[in-house]
Amino acid sequence: MASALQGILSTPSARRVCEQSLEQGAGNAGNRLQSCQISVRSSHLSSAACLSGRSKLFLAASTPSLTRNSRPGLRILAAAGSKKLGNRKLRVAVIGGGPAGGCAAETLAKNGIETFLIERKMDNAKPCGGAIPLCMVGEFDLPLDIIDRKVTKMKMISPSNVAVDVGKTLNENEYIGMVRREVLDSYLRERAASFGANLVNGLFLRMEMPSDANAPYVLHYNLYKPGSSVGVPATLEVDAVIGADGANSRVAKDIDAGDYDYAIAFQERIKIPDDKMVYYENLAEMYVGDDVSPDFYGWVFPKCDHVAVGTGTVINKPAIKKYQVATRHRARDKIAGGKIIRVEAHPIPEHPRPRRVRDRVALVGDAAGYVTKCSGEGIYFAAKSGRMCAEAIVEGSEKGVRMINEADLRSYLQKWDTKYWPTYKVLDILQKVFYRSNPAREAFVELCADEYVQKMTFDSYLYKTVVPGNPLDDIKLAVNTIGSLIRANALRKEARKAVLT
Amino acid sequence: MASSEEERVPATNSAPSEVAVLPQKEEGDSTAQSSGKKKPSPLEKGGTLRGEAAEGKDPSPAALGKKSSAVSGEKFEDPRWKNGNWDMTKFVKNGKMDWDAVIDAEVLRRKWLEENPEASSNDDPVLFDTATVPWWAWVRRFHLPEAELLNGRAAMVGFFAAYLIDSLTGVGLVDQTNSFVGKLLLLITVVGILLVRKNEDLETIKTLVKESTFYDKQWQATWKDSEEQQKK
């Protein structure tokens, strides 16, 4: 396409024709015309870029053209690539009403786009650790009363029960928020509805792909009327779809997004006696070891009035119950006398799906696979990706005026990958190095005792930026890391030779 | 369903499997394939490995089910282990601190706990840090024997290589080390022996290289798709 344009634009008469046809496509709201100036040089990149939808970058009015070439009178005013919608707004369906869906619907509705948020269970309590970083409270304007507990201390416990207290470097305003998913999700959904999103209580079944670039997607779903548990088949026509329906996403299946590796996270909610609950007042525990998980960790997280004890694994999913028993055994003294009130499990994606965007459908949150390694954190990234995708749609459609295309959604992917790739990669490296074997886990816990490590870890977790620290401290940390790993591995090698008496 | 599953490397080695492959065919084709196979449950796919590989990259013997038969009893007990730490006064031999004995004791404690995981207790926390054993004790115990081994191997290989080159080219040992090529080969040999100490290390290095770029490939997968479309 680019080379064809190059050919067309090379003759003056052809250029005039091109101008006319492009201006026709732009519609007659001349003063709102987003135009770009193409310099007809031999580089076809600028022309192709202009006409493929990234033309938003080239505003005729504000930029005295960077691309003006030496030959005057050859400027072509080309319209943005997609057609205007006439007298209606862009319709976008958000499938799934969790953090990703709620934040996406809110941003879309706030900017005047006709939004449909389809959620199958409005009071769903999704099995989840429920930890949100500090920055999420500020960035998403969360009211403080949805936070049940503020965790300010963590305990990391190694395979040989070396226990390290983490959290000495936090100041009084810093904490990890523990929330109930049903509370958080419904708050975000209600907020989206208050901005004008249409909340639909329905189960998404499948969607039909559009026949051309301006045809709508036809969504088939089961509508649940209030009070009824029987779904009524219904359809909905929309111009774009955001798939925010979690790890078992049907939207992902419909667009052939491909599969991903996932961890199975298994959790038991245990109500423990009040005196034992005092210990977990604002403390969470992390157990590492071969007995607890071969590639993840076991946890005890405090919830509103009980604790959640759980573990997870990618590579040995059939043995998850064995790992759960081992986790409960390790925490045995601290949860003694507790009663299991609920057992739940859910898959956690390990990496993004091979295809996250297709035509006018984009995946966000768990459906896209945006869960970090090492810590398994997903709520913040789901909310943020929902918001970023919605912002890309708002920008690409100029607040609902134009049809969007795949390039607009790819710009969301571009921004996302650029912004969060370092975070994901660093956590991947940490997981590969420190969850590898028992000696590595021992070294990990030993390193966590260091204050510099604690500060760096919490800064990057709470504020979601990979903070470059003091280089001298970094070198000391690197030396300590290598030392710990060598010592732990040396002890382990000796253990193979030793015989217990 | 079958066409959207990943290509999987056989589970006998724990090399990471291929990045998930995008289904190439239309939905109609896959039904013929999947009719013969049973759909795997959620616990059997998504990265699940089988056999020993499922216990992790470097599983302890306890995780593999190979428990020592001599192990019995519940808690770890040792007269020198007090209050979650090794009592250093019990390790003094002939008036000097016997760090080797501390290392041995810690080895046994970790091995015991690997095979009999204990509940972590707040009243009786473990406080021992391996950094209390000084660095030279670690070097003397672990590094020096291996260094001796490697230096010995390097000397044997070097002697034989020098002899061979002398017999082939007539250049003596002193003249070999004076030439640039000789110095370069010597450097390569030294660095090579540091990195590749056993034959297994070659496999380890290959796996490490593949592992370190695997996650990047998974993230880039969505962009490969767009590149292919642009080329059309």
Side-chain angles (χ1 to χ4, degrees), chain B residues 70-92:
Chain B
V71 166
S72 64
E74 283 277 351
K75 259 179 98 72
F76 173 75
E77 264 161 22
D78 189 295
R80 300 166 296 184
W81 178 259
K82 277 197 180 50
N83 297 330
N85 213 335
W86 291 109
D87 187 356
M88 293 300 167
T89 57
K90 296 263 167 47
F91 289 97
V92 177

PDB file of all heavy atoms in Angstrom, chain B residues 70-92:
ATOM      1  N   ALA B  70      16.819 -43.168  57.295  1.00  0.00           N
ATOM      2  CA  ALA B  70      17.238 -42.990  58.677  1.00  0.00           C
ATOM      3  C   ALA B  70      16.484 -41.870  59.369  1.00  0.00           C
ATOM      4  O   ALA B  70      16.627 -41.663  60.556  1.00  0.00           O
ATOM      5  CB  ALA B  70      18.744 -42.698  58.727  1.00  0.00           C
ATOM      6  N   VAL B  71      15.710 -41.135  58.585  1.00  0.00           N
ATOM      7  CA  VAL B  71      15.048 -39.963  59.172  1.00  0.00           C
ATOM      8  C   VAL B  71      13.821 -40.389  59.959  1.00  0.00           C
ATOM      9  O   VAL B  71      12.999 -41.153  59.484  1.00  0.00           O
ATOM     10  CB  VAL B  71      14.633 -39.000  58.043  1.00  0.00           C
ATOM     11  CG1 VAL B  71      13.656 -37.969  58.553  1.00  0.00           C
ATOM     12  CG2 VAL B  71      15.843 -38.334  57.473  1.00  0.00           C
ATOM     13  N   SER B  72      13.701 -39.911  61.145  1.00  0.00           N
ATOM     14  CA  SER B  72      12.497 -40.194  61.931  1.00  0.00           C
ATOM     15  C   SER B  72      12.319 -39.061  62.920  1.00  0.00           C
ATOM     16  O   SER B  72      13.204 -38.242  63.120  1.00  0.00           O
ATOM     17  CB  SER B  72      12.648 -41.519  62.675  1.00  0.00           C
ATOM     18  OG  SER B  72      13.685 -41.404  63.604  1.00  0.00           O
ATOM     19  N   GLY B  73      11.202 -39.016  63.549  1.00  0.00           N
ATOM     20  CA  GLY B  73      10.982 -37.979  64.563  1.00  0.00           C
ATOM     21  C   GLY B  73      10.435 -36.703  63.948  1.00  0.00           C
ATOM     22  O   GLY B  73      10.351 -36.554  62.744  1.00  0.00           O
ATOM     23  N   GLU B  74      10.062 -35.768  64.782  1.00  0.00           N
ATOM     24  CA  GLU B  74       9.347 -34.590  64.299  1.00  0.00           C
ATOM     25  C   GLU B  74      10.233 -33.372  64.127  1.00  0.00           C
ATOM     26  O   GLU B  74      10.497 -32.931  63.040  1.00  0.00           O
ATOM     27  CB  GLU B  74       8.208 -34.261  65.271  1.00  0.00           C
ATOM     28  CG  GLU B  74       7.008 -35.169  65.125  1.00  0.00           C
ATOM     29  CD  GLU B  74       6.088 -34.723  63.997  1.00  0.00           C
ATOM     30  OE1 GLU B  74       6.293 -33.631  63.440  1.00  0.00           O
ATOM     31  OE2 GLU B  74       5.182 -35.479  63.651  1.00  0.00           O
ATOM     32  N   LYS B  75      10.704 -32.834  65.241  1.00  0.00           N
ATOM     33  CA  LYS B  75      11.434 -31.578  65.129  1.00  0.00           C
ATOM     34  C   LYS B  75      12.931 -31.816  65.013  1.00  0.00           C
ATOM     35  O   LYS B  75      13.449 -32.819  65.470  1.00  0.00           O
ATOM     36  CB  LYS B  75      11.158 -30.735  66.382  1.00  0.00           C
ATOM     37  CG  LYS B  75      10.129 -29.643  66.155  1.00  0.00           C
ATOM     38  CD  LYS B  75       9.874 -28.867  67.435  1.00  0.00           C
ATOM     39  CE  LYS B  75      10.674 -27.590  67.470  1.00  0.00           C
ATOM     40  NZ  LYS B  75      10.191 -26.567  66.560  1.00  0.00           N
ATOM     41  N   PHE B  76      13.609 -30.836  64.443  1.00  0.00           N
ATOM     42  CA  PHE B  76      15.059 -30.907  64.363  1.00  0.00           C
ATOM     43  C   PHE B  76      15.637 -30.608  65.731  1.00  0.00           C
ATOM     44  O   PHE B  76      15.303 -29.596  66.347  1.00  0.00           O
ATOM     45  CB  PHE B  76      15.576 -29.892  63.340  1.00  0.00           C
ATOM     46  CG  PHE B  76      17.064 -29.787  63.321  1.00  0.00           C
ATOM     47  CD1 PHE B  76      17.840 -30.782  62.746  1.00  0.00           C
ATOM     48  CD2 PHE B  76      17.702 -28.699  63.891  1.00  0.00           C
ATOM     49  CE1 PHE B  76      19.209 -30.690  62.724  1.00  0.00           C
ATOM     50  CE2 PHE B  76      19.076 -28.595  63.863  1.00  0.00           C
ATOM     51  CZ  PHE B  76      19.835 -29.596  63.289  1.00  0.00           C
ATOM     52  N   GLU B  77      16.508 -31.483  66.188  1.00  0.00           N
ATOM     53  CA  GLU B  77      17.103 -31.253  67.498  1.00  0.00           C
ATOM     54  C   GLU B  77      18.594 -31.482  67.426  1.00  0.00           C
ATOM     55  O   GLU B  77      19.067 -32.428  66.799  1.00  0.00           O
ATOM     56  CB  GLU B  77      16.500 -32.202  68.539  1.00  0.00           C
ATOM     57  CG  GLU B  77      15.371 -31.543  69.296  1.00  0.00           C
ATOM     58  CD  GLU B  77      14.493 -32.572  69.955  1.00  0.00           C
ATOM     59  OE1 GLU B  77      14.962 -33.697  70.172  1.00  0.00           O
ATOM     60  OE2 GLU B  77      13.334 -32.234  70.240  1.00  0.00           O
ATOM     61  N   ASP B  78      19.312 -30.607  68.073  1.00  0.00           N
ATOM     62  CA  ASP B  78      20.762 -30.735  68.116  1.00  0.00           C
ATOM     63  C   ASP B  78      21.215 -29.983  69.355  1.00  0.00           C
ATOM     64  O   ASP B  78      20.731 -28.879  69.622  1.00  0.00           O
ATOM     65  CB  ASP B  78      21.364 -30.103  66.845  1.00  0.00           C
ATOM     66  CG  ASP B  78      22.840 -30.389  66.705  1.00  0.00           C
ATOM     67  OD1 ASP B  78      23.639 -29.922  67.541  1.00  0.00           O
ATOM     68  OD2 ASP B  78      23.201 -31.098  65.742  1.00  0.00           O
ATOM     69  N   PRO B  79      22.127 -30.565  70.113  1.00  0.00           N
ATOM     70  CA  PRO B  79      22.531 -29.880  71.351  1.00  0.00           C
ATOM     71  C   PRO B  79      23.146 -28.505  71.106  1.00  0.00           C
ATOM     72  O   PRO B  79      23.116 -27.638  71.978  1.00  0.00           O
ATOM     73  CB  PRO B  79      23.554 -30.834  71.968  1.00  0.00           C
ATOM     74  CG  PRO B  79      23.865 -31.847  70.932  1.00  0.00           C
ATOM     75  CD  PRO B  79      22.741 -31.885  69.981  1.00  0.00           C
ATOM     76  N   ARG B  80      23.690 -28.304  69.884  1.00  0.00           N
ATOM     77  CA  ARG B  80      24.335 -27.020  69.640  1.00  0.00           C
ATOM     78  C   ARG B  80      23.368 -25.981  69.076  1.00  0.00           C
ATOM     79  O   ARG B  80      23.723 -24.824  68.902  1.00  0.00           O
ATOM     80  CB  ARG B  80      25.492 -27.206  68.662  1.00  0.00           C
ATOM     81  CG  ARG B  80      26.542 -28.160  69.198  1.00  0.00           C
ATOM     82  CD  ARG B  80      27.493 -28.603  68.121  1.00  0.00           C
ATOM     83  NE  ARG B  80      26.814 -29.371  67.097  1.00  0.00           N
ATOM     84  CZ  ARG B  80      27.441 -29.940  66.086  1.00  0.00           C
ATOM     85  NH1 ARG B  80      28.740 -29.812  65.960  1.00  0.00           N
ATOM     86  NH2 ARG B  80      26.779 -30.621  65.182  1.00  0.00           N
ATOM     87  N   TRP B  81      22.157 -26.373  68.783  1.00  0.00           N
ATOM     88  CA  TRP B  81      21.183 -25.456  68.190  1.00  0.00           C
ATOM     89  C   TRP B  81      20.290 -24.928  69.300  1.00  0.00           C
ATOM     90  O   TRP B  81      19.511 -25.645  69.873  1.00  0.00           O
ATOM     91  CB  TRP B  81      20.357 -26.224  67.148  1.00  0.00           C
ATOM     92  CG  TRP B  81      19.266 -25.435  66.483  1.00  0.00           C
ATOM     93  CD1 TRP B  81      17.939 -25.473  66.782  1.00  0.00           C
ATOM     94  CD2 TRP B  81      19.408 -24.508  65.423  1.00  0.00           C
ATOM     95  NE1 TRP B  81      17.233 -24.641  65.961  1.00  0.00           N
ATOM     96  CE2 TRP B  81      18.120 -24.034  65.110  1.00  0.00           C
ATOM     97  CE3 TRP B  81      20.488 -24.024  64.678  1.00  0.00           C
ATOM     98  CZ2 TRP B  81      17.892 -23.100  64.110  1.00  0.00           C
ATOM     99  CZ3 TRP B  81      20.245 -23.106  63.679  1.00  0.00           C
ATOM    100  CH2 TRP B  81      18.962 -22.650  63.418  1.00  0.00           C
ATOM    101  N   LYS B  82      20.493 -23.648  69.608  1.00  0.00           N
ATOM    102  CA  LYS B  82      19.731 -23.074  70.704  1.00  0.00           C
ATOM    103  C   LYS B  82      19.048 -21.811  70.237  1.00  0.00           C
ATOM    104  O   LYS B  82      19.674 -20.958  69.636  1.00  0.00           O
ATOM    105  CB  LYS B  82      20.680 -22.721  71.864  1.00  0.00           C
ATOM    106  CG  LYS B  82      21.001 -23.873  72.756  1.00  0.00           C
ATOM    107  CD  LYS B  82      21.580 -23.362  74.075  1.00  0.00           C
ATOM    108  CE  LYS B  82      21.912 -24.524  74.990  1.00  0.00           C
ATOM    109  NZ  LYS B  82      22.704 -25.589  74.373  1.00  0.00           N
ATOM    110  N   ASN B  83      17.764 -21.701  70.538  1.00  0.00           N
ATOM    111  CA  ASN B  83      17.041 -20.450  70.284  1.00  0.00           C
ATOM    112  C   ASN B  83      17.151 -19.994  68.840  1.00  0.00           C
ATOM    113  O   ASN B  83      17.368 -18.835  68.566  1.00  0.00           O
ATOM    114  CB  ASN B  83      17.552 -19.323  71.186  1.00  0.00           C
ATOM    115  CG  ASN B  83      17.308 -19.642  72.637  1.00  0.00           C
ATOM    116  OD1 ASN B  83      16.349 -20.325  72.972  1.00  0.00           O
ATOM    117  ND2 ASN B  83      18.189 -19.137  73.489  1.00  0.00           N
ATOM    118  N   GLY B  84      17.072 -20.952  67.955  1.00  0.00           N
ATOM    119  CA  GLY B  84      17.052 -20.567  66.554  1.00  0.00           C
ATOM    120  C   GLY B  84      18.394 -20.150  66.006  1.00  0.00           C
ATOM    121  O   GLY B  84      18.459 -19.529  64.962  1.00  0.00           O
ATOM    122  N   ASN B  85      19.475 -20.507  66.677  1.00  0.00           N
ATOM    123  CA  ASN B  85      20.781 -20.143  66.168  1.00  0.00           C
ATOM    124  C   ASN B  85      21.799 -21.160  66.645  1.00  0.00           C
ATOM    125  O   ASN B  85      21.574 -21.864  67.644  1.00  0.00           O
ATOM    126  CB  ASN B  85      21.168 -18.744  66.653  1.00  0.00           C
ATOM    127  CG  ASN B  85      22.010 -18.026  65.628  1.00  0.00           C
ATOM    128  OD1 ASN B  85      22.685 -18.657  64.816  1.00  0.00           O
ATOM    129  ND2 ASN B  85      21.986 -16.719  65.671  1.00  0.00           N
ATOM    130  N   TRP B  86      22.895 -21.246  65.925  1.00  0.00           N
ATOM    131  CA  TRP B  86      23.950 -22.145  66.365  1.00  0.00           C
ATOM    132  C   TRP B  86      24.719 -21.474  67.488  1.00  0.00           C
ATOM    133  O   TRP B  86      25.091 -20.308  67.389  1.00  0.00           O
ATOM    134  CB  TRP B  86      24.896 -22.467  65.201  1.00  0.00           C
ATOM    135  CG  TRP B  86      24.250 -23.301  64.149  1.00  0.00           C
ATOM    136  CD1 TRP B  86      23.894 -22.897  62.915  1.00  0.00           C
ATOM    137  CD2 TRP B  86      23.878 -24.666  64.252  1.00  0.00           C
ATOM    138  NE1 TRP B  86      23.319 -23.929  62.221  1.00  0.00           N
ATOM    139  CE2 TRP B  86      23.297 -25.037  63.022  1.00  0.00           C
ATOM    140  CE3 TRP B  86      23.964 -25.640  65.256  1.00  0.00           C
ATOM    141  CZ2 TRP B  86      22.820 -26.316  62.761  1.00  0.00           C
ATOM    142  CZ3 TRP B  86      23.482 -26.916  64.995  1.00  0.00           C
ATOM    143  CH2 TRP B  86      22.916 -27.243  63.763  1.00  0.00           C
ATOM    144  N   ASP B  87      24.947 -22.215  68.555  1.00  0.00           N
ATOM    145  CA  ASP B  87      25.713 -21.686  69.681  1.00  0.00           C
ATOM    146  C   ASP B  87      27.191 -21.786  69.338  1.00  0.00           C
ATOM    147  O   ASP B  87      27.778 -22.863  69.343  1.00  0.00           O
ATOM    148  CB  ASP B  87      25.388 -22.519  70.921  1.00  0.00           C
ATOM    149  CG  ASP B  87      26.003 -21.919  72.161  1.00  0.00           C
ATOM    150  OD1 ASP B  87      26.744 -20.909  72.032  1.00  0.00           O
ATOM    151  OD2 ASP B  87      25.753 -22.438  73.254  1.00  0.00           O
ATOM    152  N   MET B  88      27.791 -20.644  69.010  1.00  0.00           N
ATOM    153  CA  MET B  88      29.155 -20.667  68.481  1.00  0.00           C
ATOM    154  C   MET B  88      30.166 -21.178  69.492  1.00  0.00           C
ATOM    155  O   MET B  88      31.231 -21.665  69.114  1.00  0.00           O
ATOM    156  CB  MET B  88      29.560 -19.252  68.018  1.00  0.00           C
ATOM    157  CG  MET B  88      28.766 -18.770  66.815  1.00  0.00           C
ATOM    158  SD  MET B  88      28.988 -19.855  65.405  1.00  0.00           S
ATOM    159  CE  MET B  88      27.691 -19.313  64.325  1.00  0.00           C
ATOM    160  N   THR B  89      29.844 -21.081  70.787  1.00  0.00           N
ATOM    161  CA  THR B  89      30.821 -21.529  71.777  1.00  0.00           C
ATOM    162  C   THR B  89      31.004 -23.041  71.735  1.00  0.00           C
ATOM    163  O   THR B  89      32.020 -23.561  72.173  1.00  0.00           O
ATOM    164  CB  THR B  89      30.376 -21.129  73.193  1.00  0.00           C
ATOM    165  OG1 THR B  89      29.080 -21.694  73.422  1.00  0.00           O
ATOM    166  CG2 THR B  89      30.289 -19.626  73.309  1.00  0.00           C
ATOM    167  N   LYS B  90      30.008 -23.759  71.179  1.00  0.00           N
ATOM    168  CA  LYS B  90      30.111 -25.214  71.145  1.00  0.00           C
ATOM    169  C   LYS B  90      31.007 -25.691  70.013  1.00  0.00           C
ATOM    170  O   LYS B  90      31.242 -26.890  69.858  1.00  0.00           O
ATOM    171  CB  LYS B  90      28.713 -25.827  70.955  1.00  0.00           C
ATOM    172  CG  LYS B  90      27.756 -25.546  72.101  1.00  0.00           C
ATOM    173  CD  LYS B  90      27.733 -26.714  73.050  1.00  0.00           C
ATOM    174  CE  LYS B  90      27.072 -26.427  74.364  1.00  0.00           C
ATOM    175  NZ  LYS B  90      25.801 -25.746  74.322  1.00  0.00           N
ATOM    176  N   PHE B  91      31.434 -24.774  69.126  1.00  0.00           N
ATOM    177  CA  PHE B  91      32.203 -25.204  67.963  1.00  0.00           C
ATOM    178  C   PHE B  91      33.684 -24.913  68.104  1.00  0.00           C
ATOM    179  O   PHE B  91      34.414 -24.959  67.124  1.00  0.00           O
ATOM    180  CB  PHE B  91      31.674 -24.508  66.701  1.00  0.00           C
ATOM    181  CG  PHE B  91      30.320 -24.998  66.277  1.00  0.00           C
ATOM    182  CD1 PHE B  91      29.173 -24.293  66.648  1.00  0.00           C
ATOM    183  CD2 PHE B  91      30.190 -26.149  65.536  1.00  0.00           C
ATOM    184  CE1 PHE B  91      27.931 -24.742  66.266  1.00  0.00           C
ATOM    185  CE2 PHE B  91      28.940 -26.599  65.157  1.00  0.00           C
ATOM    186  CZ  PHE B  91      27.812 -25.893  65.516  1.00  0.00           C
ATOM    187  N   VAL B  92      34.134 -24.594  69.309  1.00  0.00           N
ATOM    188  CA  VAL B  92      35.538 -24.237  69.470  1.00  0.00           C
ATOM    189  C   VAL B  92      36.360 -25.514  69.625  1.00  0.00           C
ATOM    190  O   VAL B  92      36.047 -26.376  70.440  1.00  0.00           O
ATOM    191  CB  VAL B  92      35.720 -23.328  70.702  1.00  0.00           C
ATOM    192  CG1 VAL B  92      37.188 -23.027  70.910  1.00  0.00           C
ATOM    193  CG2 VAL B  92      34.939 -22.050  70.514  1.00  0.00           C
TER     194      VAL B  92
END
